[in-house]
Structure formats: C-alpha cells, structure tokens
Amino acid sequence: MVLFFSGCTAAPSEAERIELLLSGMEPAARVSQLVALAVAPDQSTGEELAAAVLEAAGRGEIGGVWVEGGQASAVAGLTLALRSHVGVPLLVMADGDEGIGGDVRGASAFPPVHRLLSVADPNELAGVAEALAAEARILGIHALFVRGPPTMGGAVYGGVRGDRLASGLSTLVTSAAENGLPLTVGLFGNPLASADRVSWDRARLEVIELPALRAAAEAGAAALMPGRLVVPALGGATSSVAHSPGATAVLRETEGWSRAIASDLRGRPNDAAPAAAVEAIVAGADLIVTDDASGAVAAALREAVSTGQISPRRLADATRRVLALKVAAILPAPLPPPPDSVEHALRHESHTALARRLASRLAAASPTPAAVVAQAGPSPADLQSVTANGLASATPTRSLEALPPDSVGMSSQGLAAVDRIIEEAIEEEVFTAAALALGRRGGLVRLTGYGSSDENGDPLDPGAALFDLASLTKVVGTTSAVAALIESGEMELDAPVRRWIGEFSGGEKDRVTIRHLLTHTSGLPPWLGLYASAGSPTEALAQVIEQSLVRPPGEISEYSDLGMILLAAVVERAAGMPIDQLLAERLFIPLDMASTMFLPPLAFRERAIPTATETERPFTLRGVVHDGNAYRLGGVTGHAGLFSTAHDLAIFSQMMLNGGSYGSVRIFSEPTVRAFTTAYAADAERGLGWDKPADRSSAGRFLSAASFGHTGFTGTSIWIDPARDLFVVLLTNRTFPEASAGDILEVRMDVHEAAAQAITDYRITARPEARR
C-alpha cells in the first residue's frame, strides 16, 4: 500500500488504482475511509494526540484528520507521525479560507478568500494559492478548504457580478492545483445567517452558487463541502444540502459534480453526530468531518451498512470518491521538512506582503461596488448626470426598521382606519387574504397580514406569504431591469428595439424604441390570447414579435402587455442572460429580497396565496402565475410572473424613496429614479414604466403629484410618494374569488387616502384634479 501511494508501482491509471484499493476492502474498512476526525495539536499534547489518532485509524474508526487549530510545529509533528500508519494513508485536511494561519498559529493569515474573490485580481489570487500550497507542503497537509461566495444577500453583493466570483474561484483552484494542492470548496453556507432555511429560487442560485460550482469543478476542485443551509430550490431540499437526497441529486445529475461531497458535523452534540452522519451518507455525501473522537460515527455507519440503510452501492460510491481524493492529494505531496524547522520555513516575507496588500484593498473597497459596474458604458443624454462616481454612496442611506407611528409623524388612529378598510374588504369577500407594508421616513409602521393564507384558516405572515404580483412585474421587474442596463451602458432609452430583436422590423416598427415600450406608446396592441394561440414559450414570443402596430409609435399611450413582453426579450438579449437572473444579480440579491422570484419552487407552495380555482388550467392556482399569457411564456416574462412578499416590496419601495439606494447598497442613481418616475410629458399619466396619479386613481386623492406606483390584476399595488416620504404596499388575492375591478379600486383608494391622512406633521390636501 505504501508503494502504491508513493507511485513506485507500475503505472496504472488513477481509476485503476482506486478500483484496486476498493476491491481489497471489507465494508468496515470502506466505512473508515468516510470519517475524518477534527484535531488541534499543540506542543504539550501533540505526541499523545498522534498516538490516539493512529489508534483510532488502526481500529477502523477514521481515514483522515481535519486540522482545525493548534500550533504549526505540532501540526508538522502530527503529520509526520501519521505517515507511520499501515494501510491506506490518512488524509490530512485543514481550513485555508483565511490562510492556514487563520487556524494554525505560526502560519500565514490572509483576508477571507470568499471576500477576495470580488476584489483581488487574478495574479493576486494565484499568489494566495501559491502561498497556501507552499505552507501546506511545509506542514504535511494534503488538501485545504476554501469558501466560495457566501450564500447571503445584502451589501456584500452590491454591484458584484456572479461571473467575476466564479472566475476568481476558478483562478484560485487552478493555481492551487498547479502548485500540487487540491482544494475543497465550500458553498451554500452563511455563518452570518440566523435562519438555516433560505427562500431563494433557482435564478438566484444561477447567479452566484451554481456558476461557482461549475467553475470549481472545471478547474479541478477535489471536493465540495456545503454549508448547513437548507436550500429548497435545490431539488426541494428540506434538510441542509449535504443531507438532502434531492439537493445532492441536483448537484450530481444536473450540475455534474462527480467528486466527493463532505458534511461538516463539527459542533454537533456527540449523541446527535452518529445519526447525522448516517443521514448524510444516505443522502449522497461521501466524507464526514466530526469532532467526536469516541468512534461512534464509524460505528453508526457500520451498523447502517449491516442493516441495509446504507446500500453496498452507496458505500462503494462514497468510498471510491474519498479514495480518488486521497490519490489526487497524497500522491503528489512531497515530504515536508522536519518539524523543528517548520517555524523558520513558514510565513515567508512575500506571503506577509501579499496578505497586507489584500487587507488594505478590502479596507478601501467601497461598500457599494455598483460604482464599478457603472464604468462599463456611458450614460444616455437624458441621464447625463449619472456617472460612475454618482453611483457610490458616500454614506449609507436609510434602511427600514420597525418604528411606532408617532416617531415618523403618523397617527396610530389613522393607521387603525387602514386596518379596518382591509378587514372590511375581507368581510365583503373582495379578497380572502392581504398583506400591507406601510413606511415613512425609514420607519416601517405597518407590516401586517389580514385574512388567512390557506383553507385551514392559518394567519397570514406578511413577511413570508408569497403573492402573485401580476402587473407589478412591469415595474419591480422589467422597468428596474431596463434602468440597470441603462446605467451600465448596455442599453439606451432611445435605441430602436430592432437593435436587439432584428425580427421586430419593417415599416413603423423600425421606429419603436425602448422609451416607447416603457411609456406604452409603441403602437402595439394591448393584448393577445397567447395561452390559446401558442403551444410553447418560443412560439408565444414569436407571435408578440410578429404583431403589427395598430398605430404609429409615439402617437398615444395605450397600456400594452405585449410591449412589456417584448421589452423583457430586449433586456435578455442586451444582458446576455434571462431576465430573472439579471434581476437576481442586480436587484434582488443586493437588496436581500430573498422571497422575490419568478417560478416559485414547489417547496414554497404552502407560502403562496391562491389566486383562482377556475381558469383555463384545471387546477387551483397557488404559486403558479395567474396570467395565462405569462404561463404560456414559461412563467418568466416582462408583464407578469413575479411573486413576492410585503416585506421584500417594502425594501424595494424604501430604496426608491431613497433615490435608488438602501443602506450601503446603491441600485440606481438619483437622476435615474427621477427620470423613470417623472411623467414623460406634461399631460402624461405615466413615467417610464411607472404610473402617475390620474384624476381618478388607485392612489386616491391625497398622495402628491410626485407620487408614482402601479397595480396588478390579482389585487396588488405599490404607491410611493417622495413628497410625503411615504410608501404603501398592498397585496391581495382579489381574483380568489373573482371580484369586480370597481371593488378593488375602491379599496385601494380608501387605503391610500387613509394612509396619507394618517400623517400628522403637516397638513395633507387633495391634488387639485383628484376626484372619487
């Protein structure tokens, strides 16, 4: 066996080596390969620890160790002692995300790798990998762990493109491999999260985690260690990724991850670790990292094998992948220097200098990297004051916090009137469920659910209940996507549609611009029955593109779903990615709008509010888009299809009130927000995408002329008033049961009027032209 791992035998292929090893192992021996014991050697206990590890390996309880701390010379002493093990060599792994010195005293420490991915250049990342490999060789460590992009939203992703993160991870993994160091990559983890279950959809994963996973695989990463988050969008997972058969199946079968998957059980109570280890291996994980030195984990795995809970095939597959990791990690590893010379060899001057430079880079990095994105292209003429510098917030802007009404100049009695209006509408069966988010001056004074979220009468959670936004998709989704592309220079307001969609051409179509689509002045018809006339999303979009104009562009404003469907197609071609992924990358992730998505996964169905029982589709619509045309277009389109919560839309609304920023993240510049939310002509009742209050408007009479908003057919609405520093998000399911347009209009008007009249710090008057 020693000769085999030293490479001194004849030269069989790697696969042949692994199969030869596997064929000579009994089930108990195979089980031992699946367990790595976490250790932290120091000078006083190093020899004793080495003896204990060798004894555990001799009893078939472990096949490797994970160095999670200790002193560098003691680590070197341990790894030297472990080379005396007879049989399949013991694999030595460690955490290198902050350099080996992040855990091991005496080695070099670096800023966290997962943070460096977005700021370090390729040469610097290659330098980090070279330093990790050099110090791992000195210490006798075979493989290191680094974290990929953290699975979290918020400011960490403001302006950061997923492709750069994937590229950086690829550089790191490739450079480490070139220096003889296999890397294990961590994904689907968030040490800062208080919850262990995330709400993101597949589009969000397609922007951050999955490109990183693919890049790591292509670069030759040795293993994957998922964090402890539950990610339902991965195969409907109800357990953490490494413990979910559905999630590991997606990683293996859809994403093609063929290497080892590890489950980190450190910190688990010793009485829970054995069962968790069995659960992980059954689910598809291959390697267990545990701090339980009692041997109970290996015993539980052996018992599960003997009872058939872990099948022979599953055990063989897991063992095979761990052996592949050992062959890749141990065979190339040169012998380290003697332990007594380790301290001198470590912490090379060049490593220290690189670490300092990168730490300075991180410290100086803007909290809103959106400024970098803006440099991709010039601003259009009518947004001339938008510059790269203009996108960076000098100081954080307001974010939302729950505050009492009187602290933001509002009356509790006035807000109680809002509650009564919604409750009475439920009693009158205008809708069965509603959620309200109402904010002023950065204070969230209402985040309330009304009615029931399901037929069981369960109370509605406004932070979790998913509503079909219907035409709010036009502004929250499509209009926002256009604004983002304009600011990045990837689109221009007055560019013709045919620049991106060549099929949309001929006659007056040649004159239709992005501005025309946003202002509903393109001349396209309002609607077309795509559900009945098209058999696929491709055919449905083709029918929209082929439509003739009913009037010349720019002549009058006529609300058109077709125009927004076409606009989403333009967005996708301009951005080079689906609109749901673009929105995830540039809007929903930076704002941590974790519950805003197209095509909610089936695992979220219980959170979704039903919108219809009888439609052309023979099932209750719950978590499935209500709009038939959006359904025929595949559920991801420009005029409808988004689902969200009142909580998420409150964040979005506050961002718009702030002039495009939220906390330390800037999404849009203030001039862009003004340009999109100002009436495009003196007599117009629309801005760019957004509605403006008309004489008889869902906004009611008391929101100012500066306000902007939109409504959705399912009973949803947003109105934002910069003059009042107020926003109102009202989400309902007025199509369940079907209600008349008049019913919901009256409710909307009443809610917005009561909300405005609840303001106490100055006199609220009606707009001169407003009427009931």
Side-chain angles (χ1 to χ4, degrees):
M1 195 71 71
V2 172
L3 289 176
F4 180 89
F5 268 90
S6 68
C8 296
T9 61
S13 69
E14 181 177 306
E16 289 171 335
R17 287 172 174 169
I18 293 165
E19 292 306 320
L20 182 60
L21 283 171
L22 188 65
S23 65
M25 288 182 175
E26 296 295 326
R30 294 181 178 187
V31 163
S32 69
Q33 296 301 308
L34 311 188
V35 183
L37 179 65
V39 296
D42 59 36
Q43 297 291 10
S44 62
T45 62
E47 291 184 7
E48 181 182 337
L49 177 60
V53 169
L54 287 169
E55 288 178 13
R59 292 192 299 267
E61 295 171 355
I62 62 171
V65 296
W66 183 288
V67 178
E68 62 177 2
Q71 209 277 332
S73 58
V75 171
L78 173 68
T79 62
L80 176 63
L82 296 189
R83 288 201 293 276
S84 67
H85 174 66
V86 177
V88 178
L90 299 174
L91 181 68
V92 181
M93 297 171 286
D95 191 334
D97 192 60
E98 297 182 24
I100 300 176
D103 286 333
V104 176
R105 298 186 302 279
S108 298
F110 284 88
V113 163
H114 63 265
R115 293 189 62 201
L116 295 179
L117 293 176
S118 61
V119 299
D121 65 37
N123 288 334
E124 290 168 331
L125 289 172
V128 171
E130 193 175 328
L132 292 176
E135 297 194 5
R137 284 194 297 269
I138 290 168
L139 292 170
I141 294 170
H142 302 126
L144 286 179
F145 168 79
V146 295
R147 290 173 180 82
T151 298
M152 59 187 294
V156 69
Y157 285 124
V160 175
R161 302 290 177 85
D163 55 0
R164 177 169 184 174
L165 297 173
S167 175
L169 188 60
S170 176
T171 297
L172 192 78
V173 172
T174 301
S175 299
E178 289 172 348
N179 285 276
L181 177 69
L183 289 183
T184 293
V185 173
L187 289 171
F188 309 107
N190 178 12
L192 302 180
S194 56
D196 63 355
R197 180 183 173 97
V198 298
S199 300
W200 302 301
D201 63 338
R202 178 77 183 203
R204 193 272 184 213
L205 301 180
E206 286 286 354
V207 170
I208 304 296
E209 284 79 15
L210 295 182
L213 179 75
R214 295 162 192 155
E218 188 174 344
L224 171 70
M225 180 178 278
R228 296 184 181 179
L229 289 177
V230 180
V231 187
L234 282 178
T238 56
S239 301
S240 60
V241 172
H243 293 240
S244 166
T248 55
V250 169
L251 297 179
R252 298 281 190 212
E253 298 165 16
T254 305
E255 297 303 321
W257 182 266
S258 60
R259 299 175 180 86
I261 295 176
S263 172
D264 186 359
L265 298 185
R266 291 176 296 168
R268 294 282 183 102
N270 285 352
D271 58 351
V278 172
E279 178 187 63
I281 299 298
V282 169
D286 310 297
L287 178 64
I288 303 298
V289 180
T290 179
D291 49 15
D292 180 4
S294 69
V297 167
L301 292 175
R302 288 193 296 269
E303 175 67 17
V305 169
S306 68
T307 61
Q309 188 178 358
I310 297 175
S311 71
R313 180 176 179 178
R314 176 79 274 275
L315 177 62
D317 285 345
T319 309
R320 186 177 289 113
R321 292 191 183 104
V322 174
L323 291 175
L325 173 58
K326 288 192 171 187
V327 169
I330 297 175
L331 271 175
L335 292 177
D340 57 6
S341 64
V342 161
E343 298 285 357
H344 177 72
L346 286 172
R347 302 184 69 174
H348 192 275
E349 193 175 293
S350 64
H351 301 173
T352 304
L354 177 60
R356 285 177 182 153
R357 185 164 71 250
L358 291 171
S360 298
R361 178 85 52 79
L362 279 172
S366 167
T368 53
V372 177
V373 177
Q375 294 170 1
S379 305
D382 62 343
L383 300 177
Q384 63 216 4
S385 55
V386 180
T387 64
N389 291 334
L391 278 176
S393 294
T395 56
T397 55
R398 290 182 305 187
S399 53
L400 283 171
E401 61 176 317
L403 293 175
D406 59 0
S407 69
V408 294
M410 298 194 79
S411 158
S412 297
Q413 284 186 324
L415 294 177
V418 176
D419 296 331
R420 286 194 298 273
I421 292 164
I422 298 171
E423 290 162 354
E424 288 171 4
I426 291 175
E427 291 175 5
E428 295 169 5
E429 298 185 344
V430 179
F431 41 78
T432 66
L436 173 73
L438 196 155
R440 187 164 190 249
R441 294 181 178 169
L444 187 61
V445 296
R446 275 291 187 278
L447 182 61
T448 310
Y450 308 83
S452 175
S453 60
D454 56 32
E455 60 276 7
N456 297 324
D458 294 332
L460 188 144
D461 179 357
L466 281 172
F467 284 82
D468 182 336
L469 299 188
S471 285
L472 288 191
T473 302
K474 293 179 172 73
V475 288
V476 176
T478 310
T479 299
S480 295
V482 171
L485 292 176
I486 287 174
E487 289 203 327
S488 66
E490 297 166 84
M491 184 179 282
E492 298 170 9
L493 273 175
D494 293 312
V497 170
R498 60 184 168 84
R499 175 183 297 180
W500 294 279
I501 302 182
E503 316 94 288
F504 188 81
S505 60
E508 294 283 11
K509 281 186 173 182
D510 290 345
R511 295 200 300 117
V512 176
T513 66
I514 302 304
R515 189 189 298 272
H516 287 137
L517 296 179
L518 283 168
T519 55
H520 296 274
T521 58
S522 68
L524 280 166
W527 187 81
L528 183 67
L530 300 173
Y531 181 85
S533 63
S536 69
T538 300
E539 186 180 345
L541 179 59
Q543 289 186 16
V544 173
I545 293 171
E546 292 164 3
Q547 279 299 296
S548 299
L549 303 186
V550 295
R551 61 183 55 84
E555 188 173 272
I556 67 169
S557 177
E558 183 176 26
Y559 188 79
S560 173
D561 277 2
L562 301 192
M564 282 294 181
I565 294 169
L566 184 64
L567 188 53
V570 173
V571 164
E572 294 192 337
R573 298 196 188 184
M577 67 171 66
I579 190 171
D580 57 345
Q581 293 180 30
L582 175 73
L583 287 166
E585 181 177 74
R586 304 199 196 181
L587 183 66
F588 304 150
I589 293 172
L591 289 177
D592 208 8
M593 294 171 63
S595 293
T596 305
M597 65 194 74
F598 294 90
L599 300 173
L602 184 61
F604 298 164
R605 185 178 186 275
E606 292 184 0
R607 295 174 51 197
I609 304 302
T611 54
T613 54
E614 296 182 13
T615 67
E616 66 277 6
R617 287 160 280 170
F619 51 84
T620 296
L621 300 185
R622 184 174 187 180
V624 176
V625 63
H626 180 273
D627 185 278
N629 283 351
Y631 183 81
R632 180 59 73 226
L633 284 156
V636 181
T637 186
H639 73 294
L642 264 182
F643 287 74
S644 189
T645 64
H647 170 269
D648 277 12
L649 294 182
I651 294 173
F652 176 85
S653 300
Q654 186 63 52
M655 178 273 293
M656 294 295 288
L657 265 183
N658 290 346
S661 64
Y662 185 84
S664 63
V665 175
R666 181 163 286 283
I667 303 297
F668 308 121
S669 68
E670 291 187 20
T672 293
V673 173
R674 286 196 300 272
F676 273 72
T677 59
T678 301
Y680 70 89
D683 59 348
E685 295 177 356
R686 297 193 186 282
L688 297 177
W690 288 92
D691 286 350
K692 299 293 290 180
D695 58 347
R696 179 170 165 78
S697 169
S698 64
R701 294 169 294 173
F702 300 111
L703 295 186
S704 76
S707 63
F708 54 94
H710 212 283
T711 62
F713 184 77
T714 51
T716 58
S717 64
I718 293 178
W719 277 98
I720 301 167
D721 191 341
R724 310 277 193 254
D725 204 354
L726 174 77
F727 70 79
V728 182
V729 174
L730 176 62
L731 306 179
T732 79
N733 63 340
R734 73 102 185 175
T735 54
F736 186 86
E738 187 78 29
S740 72
D743 290 331
I744 191 64
L745 175 60
E746 293 298 325
V747 172
R748 286 167 171 157
M749 294 173 73
D750 288 345
V751 165
H752 296 126
E753 291 188 359
Q757 289 178 307
I759 293 173
T760 59
D761 52 6
Y762 64 86
R763 185 167 174 261
I764 300 297
T765 58
R767 297 186 311 281
E769 78 286 0
R771 61 186 178 87
R772 288 299 298 251

